[in-house]
Amino acid sequence: MFKGGWAGRILKIDLTKRKHTVVELPRDLAERFVGGRGFAIKILWDELPRGTDPMSPDNILIFATGPLTGLKIPSSGKMIVASKSPLTGGYGDGNIGVRMAVELKKAGYDAIIIYGRAEKPSYVYIEDKNVQIRDAKDLWGMKTYEADDVLREAQGEDCGVLLIGRAGENLVRYSVIVAEKGRAGGRPGMGAVMGSKNLKAVVIKGTSEIPVHDEEKVEILAEEAYETIERSPNYEFWRKQGTMATIEWAQANSVLPTHNFREGVFELAEEIGGLTMEKVHKIAQRGCPYCNMPCGNIVIAKRGKYSGIESELDYENVAMLGSNLGIGDMNSIIALNRLCDEYGLDTISTGSVLGFLFEAFERGLITREDLDGLSPRWGDEEQALLLIEKIANKEGIGRILALGVKALSEVIGKGSAGFAMHVKGLEISAYDCHAAIGMALAYGTSPIGAHHKDAWFIAWEIKMGRNVVSREKVERLIYMQNIRGGIFETLTVCRLPWIELGFDLDWYPRFFEAATGLKMSLNEMLVIAERIYCLIRAFWIRENNYNWNRYMDYPPLRWFEESLTKGPLKNSKLSYSDYDKMLSWYYELRGWNSNGIPKPETLKGLGLREVAEELKKAYEDKF
Ligand code: PTT
Ligand code: SF4
């Protein structure tokens, strides 16, 4: 029995058989993989048949929390959505901050695993032990804001809701899962996996208290922690700006993706920056459950034809739908962002696909005829809006654009792969790396493809020296990846108190002990992070049919081949030999071989003997 933290149960729902079962959370899974991403990768490794088509009923969709999720401690309202990705073919997950994270735990579950495919559009309704698969005929095709309203009207405001938009229904490979009008998660196509299961939404109400080992201790720690966060010197500024101040920071440091990552500075950066957002557009602030540093900026378009449209903005949305497309007007970006949320399209990948297309059109690699009569040009938000409609509805050219930038460049050919901005098929999030070799390596080795979730090394890199090529830099990078992707994604709480307001990492083992009654030091958590990183890597290798080499961990050619032509870092580009050197250190430090495959002794040392044996056997059979 668990003393607290974990609810102790997993809910398994088979949509094909219309059946559900509840199983006990295995102690070994909790102690060795903690929660969230740890649970997800272990379940996928154990249960998913090798080579499963991600859009087939055989794929598994996992919603997972961790031992700190939903407790009354800072920023604990987070959960993981994970599956085999239809965009990359590898491990995919996303982190989403929503009421459902708390309701899931209150309903008595740590995770839900969804199997099979419903015969017709459905949604799952859960109220504690009562689990129903309901008809979603009327919700299918509905935009996410409206569907959210309809579900809440029927079930009450006090429930957690996750849903997909038309992009997920139509299996767009970079569709996300959306919630609460503006929260979105699961960049590598988790929305499409949900769509492939004919699952429009999941609605949960939980009525129990989440068990904790030492309630008084949790309360005392929480009070102290909330106060500590509020005393942070950056607290007031953060509450006004959230992640949006990053626009000004990225511009000053030449990393703001501009014109499909050609440049790191944008002449209209001020127009789309945090200050403009705050002074002109912001109308409200909101946050995830139990967060006292809410960062959700609710904004409104004030001028022109989009006047009156509301949306929730973060740095990534603005950079990828703004500077990356040469769009320097916040009103237009608000309209673009809202449309992506309504359809459930990932804003980062959408911005990357459109940026690639604008460039291909400019270079004459694709014509108006190919584009159903459209002529996309930098800065033209009207064309971007039309293209988003086509992608989400898979109309005309939208059918190909819906495949993601890697597949799109393969269709277009003519050397366009050189400016297709992705790693392992996942479009790069909003940091240009012409002059940031460490961040490029972090993207290259991130466990889901190029997402800053694990990879955000840029601020540390700038402090350490952008030109530094050293083993120490790589060591630091791995340490950061393990904390971000290994600790926060398994305890399943928000990492922003730590990153943005300097909330000390030592708080987390203290929360963990008070909640679960188990002692685990930060160093022990870092070992678990290594275990999870290795298992995710093994999963990629297995799903890639054991065809794996170091070039899988390379960022796009653009950063090596073309220099920046503007800004303070003009003429910068990456060097192949430096990148390769850093990659070799990375493998050495992680205990992986020169092709990026975990060595048997590394896997065994992390308690993954069966994984070592499976890899060994596969390679013996193959070669
Ligand atoms: C996240 C990625 C991000 S990360 C952003 S903005 W960011 C984009 N947001 C989108 C959106 O919005 N609409 C849409 N249609 N697509 C979008 N795609 C993009 O998705 C997120 C916050 C943010 S805002 C960040 S950094 C932090 N991320 C955390 C994380 O990953 N782990 C963790 N433990 N804590 C985190 N805290 C912060 O949470 P993905 P959210 Mg999202 C409108 O999920 O797949 O990881 O992609 O969850 O609730 O919106 O909060 O500048
Ligand atoms: Fe959510 Fe932002 Fe608070 Fe993190 S800091 S919990 S993302 S509102």
Side-chain angles (χ1 to χ4, degrees):
M1 273 302 285
F2 294 98
K3 293 183 191 160
W6 295 283
R9 275 182 296 275
I10 295 179
L11 173 62
K12 299 184 169 191
I13 302 175
D14 189 323
L15 295 174
T16 309
K17 296 184 183 147
R18 298 183 67 80
K19 287 214 165 106
H20 72 273
T21 48
V22 177
V23 295
E24 269 186 34
L25 174 70
R27 187 147 210 111
D28 176 66
L29 182 63
E31 289 182 2
R32 294 178 64 233
F33 292 89
V34 181
R37 170 183 271 185
F39 287 175
I41 185 57
K42 180 73 169 115
I43 292 165
L44 284 168
W45 176 266
D46 288 347
E47 295 194 18
L48 198 77
R50 175 158 77 88
T52 297
D53 171 355
M55 305 274 209
S56 75
D58 293 339
N59 199 3
I60 299 171
L61 178 64
I62 299 161
F63 301 102
T65 63
L68 300 188
T69 307
L71 306 190
K72 292 173 187 155
I73 60 169
S75 310
S76 71
K78 289 271 183 188
M79 64 186 287
I80 301 290
V81 292
S83 193
K84 179 173 174 181
S85 161
L87 183 64
T88 66
Y91 173 75
D93 72 14
N95 187 305
I96 186 160
V98 277
R99 177 165 188 154
M100 172 149 156
V102 184
E103 296 298 321
L104 179 56
K105 289 281 285 278
K106 281 170 60 187
Y109 309 109
D110 296 291
I112 304 177
I113 312 177
I114 310 268
Y115 302 87
R117 172 186 288 153
E119 204 185 330
K120 53 186 187 201
S122 305
Y123 77 96
V124 168
Y125 177 79
I126 300 165
E127 191 171 347
D128 301 333
K129 288 185 180 148
N130 174 12
V131 179
Q132 298 173 13
I133 299 169
R134 294 182 173 176
D135 187 70
K137 180 167 58 73
D138 297 338
L139 295 169
W140 204 253
M142 207 180 263
K143 288 188 173 169
T144 59
Y145 276 47
E146 193 189 347
D148 196 281
D149 282 342
V150 170
L151 284 166
R152 278 174 201 285
E153 228 163 79
Q155 319 303 343
E157 279 300 317
D158 58 340
C159 56
V161 176
L162 285 185
L163 39 76
I164 54 167
R166 231 179 270 169
E169 293 170 13
N170 290 331
L171 313 183
V172 176
R173 287 195 197 164
Y174 44 95
S175 50
V176 281
I177 296 173
V178 183
E180 298 166 13
K181 303 181 176 176
R183 304 262 124 185
R187 290 196 52 217
M190 300 302 104
V193 175
M194 211 161 141
S196 73
K197 297 189 172 302
N198 265 334
L199 183 62
K200 177 73 181 180
V202 180
V203 181
I204 305 188
K205 266 188 209 177
T207 58
S208 312
E209 283 294 310
I210 300 170
V212 288
H213 167 62
D214 186 339
E215 216 160 300
E216 200 188 334
K217 184 86 201 196
V218 172
E219 262 176 47
I220 293 169
L221 281 175
E223 198 178 319
E224 211 185 310
Y226 280 122
E227 280 171 16
T228 305
I229 288 173
E230 276 167 34
R231 281 199 305 270
S232 157
N234 205 25
Y235 182 70
E236 289 306 329
F237 182 69
W238 171 261
R239 288 198 57 152
K240 288 188 213 147
Q241 288 274 324
T243 57
M244 277 298 293
T246 313
I247 293 277
E248 281 89 343
W249 179 87
Q251 170 81 351
N253 287 290
S254 248
V255 297
L256 183 66
T258 302
H259 296 139
N260 193 30
F261 289 87
R262 254 188 211 155
E263 305 292 346
V265 290
F266 182 45
E267 59 272 25
L268 298 173
E270 218 176 289
E271 305 290 316
I272 63 167
L275 281 180
T276 303
M277 184 279 305
E278 187 192 326
K279 300 243 146 51
V280 183
H281 299 279
K282 186 158 177 173
I283 51 170
Q285 183 81 35
R286 70 154 183 186
C288 309
Y290 302 125
C291 178
N292 68 333
M293 47 177 281
C295 68
N297 293 308
I298 311 293
V299 293
I300 186 163
K302 283 284 176 64
R303 273 188 288 110
K305 47 188 181 266
Y306 309 116
S307 197
I309 295 182
E310 288 180 23
S311 191
E312 182 170 336
L313 282 190
D314 270 300
Y315 165 72
E316 303 289 331
N317 316 125
V318 177
M320 294 307 292
L321 297 172
S323 52
N324 198 50
L325 303 180
I327 294 174
D329 168 43
M330 194 70 101
N331 301 287
S332 306
I333 295 169
I334 291 171
L336 289 163
N337 191 61
R338 172 68 182 258
L339 198 59
C340 285
D341 280 350
E342 291 277 25
Y343 282 139
L345 277 173
D346 176 44
T347 50
I348 297 173
S349 293
T350 304
S352 191
V353 166
L354 295 182
F356 173 87
L357 192 76
F358 284 21
E359 181 162 354
F361 185 74
E362 181 183 60
R363 288 171 179 245
L365 305 182
I366 185 162
T367 64
R368 275 187 69 158
E369 289 67 52
D370 301 322
L371 294 174
D372 312 331
L374 295 177
S375 34
R377 287 182 222 284
W378 301 118
D380 189 339
E381 91 287 351
E382 280 185 8
Q383 297 281 304
L385 284 164
L386 290 170
L387 285 160
I388 290 174
E389 292 281 352
K390 283 185 177 290
I391 295 169
N393 293 300
K394 281 228 184 125
E395 283 167 12
I397 184 69
R399 283 199 299 274
I400 298 167
L401 301 183
L403 300 175
V405 85
K406 177 171 182 270
L408 180 59
S409 71
E410 284 159 9
V411 173
I412 292 181
K414 303 174 192 165
S416 64
F419 59 91
M421 304 306 288
H422 69 91
V423 174
K424 301 184 185 72
L426 183 69
E427 289 77 12
I428 292 174
S429 43
Y431 300 90
D432 183 77
C433 294
H434 277 91
I437 194 165
M439 181 73 186
L441 180 66
Y443 274 140
T445 54
S446 154
I448 61 167
H451 188 23
H452 62 287
K453 183 213 306 284
D454 295 80
W456 198 76
F457 183 58
I458 187 79
W460 276 267
E461 169 151 49
I462 288 171
K463 275 187 220 143
M464 287 178 93
R466 297 168 84 141
N467 296 325
V468 172
V469 174
S470 70
R471 203 180 153 90
E472 291 67 45
K473 196 181 220 181
V474 180
E475 237 161 7
R476 182 77 193 169
L477 189 160
I478 291 176
Y479 174 71
M480 300 307 299
Q481 283 183 332
N482 284 348
I483 293 172
R484 297 172 70 91
I487 296 185
F488 284 102
E489 299 311 308
T490 57
L491 295 174
T492 321
V493 291
C494 182
R495 60 168 189 257
L496 295 182
W498 164 60
I499 293 175
E500 300 293 344
L501 301 187
F503 186 64
D504 212 280
L505 285 176
D506 289 338
W507 281 97
Y508 293 97
R510 293 163 74 197
F511 289 141
F512 181 82
E513 187 180 351
T516 65
L518 301 173
K519 263 191 183 305
M520 199 191 296
S521 68
L522 260 185
N523 278 340
E524 284 166 317
M525 289 184 184
L526 287 168
V527 173
I528 290 173
E530 283 285 352
R531 181 177 301 135
I532 289 166
Y533 252 74
C534 278
L535 189 55
I536 293 179
R537 174 56 61 133
F539 181 81
W540 273 92
I541 294 167
R542 184 175 84 177
E543 295 311 306
N544 234 53
N545 202 19
Y546 303 101
N547 293 317
W548 198 263
N549 62 57
R550 63 192 288 126
Y551 299 105
M552 305 283 193
D553 292 330
Y554 257 69
L557 291 179
R558 158 153 284 167
W559 289 337
F560 295 98
E561 297 288 338
E562 299 169 21
S563 306
L564 293 173
T565 69
K566 291 182 187 153
L569 296 173
K570 191 174 161 179
N571 297 328
S572 303
K573 64 176 177 178
L574 298 183
S575 134
Y576 284 111
S577 62
D578 285 346
Y579 187 86
D580 221 42
K581 214 185 288 172
M582 302 248 299
L583 186 59
S584 295
W585 282 322
Y586 184 95
Y587 291 159
E588 231 178 277
L589 288 161
R590 281 234 182 254
W592 299 355
N593 74 14
S594 60
N595 271 320
I597 300 166
K599 293 181 183 168
E601 59 269 29
T602 307
L603 291 167
K604 286 177 192 159
L606 290 166
L608 298 171
R609 177 173 290 276
E610 71 293 353
V611 180
E613 268 148 29
E614 196 168 325
L615 286 188
K616 185 166 168 271
K617 181 170 179 318
Y619 277 102
E620 275 167 7
D621 289 351
K622 200 169 165 77
F623 302 108

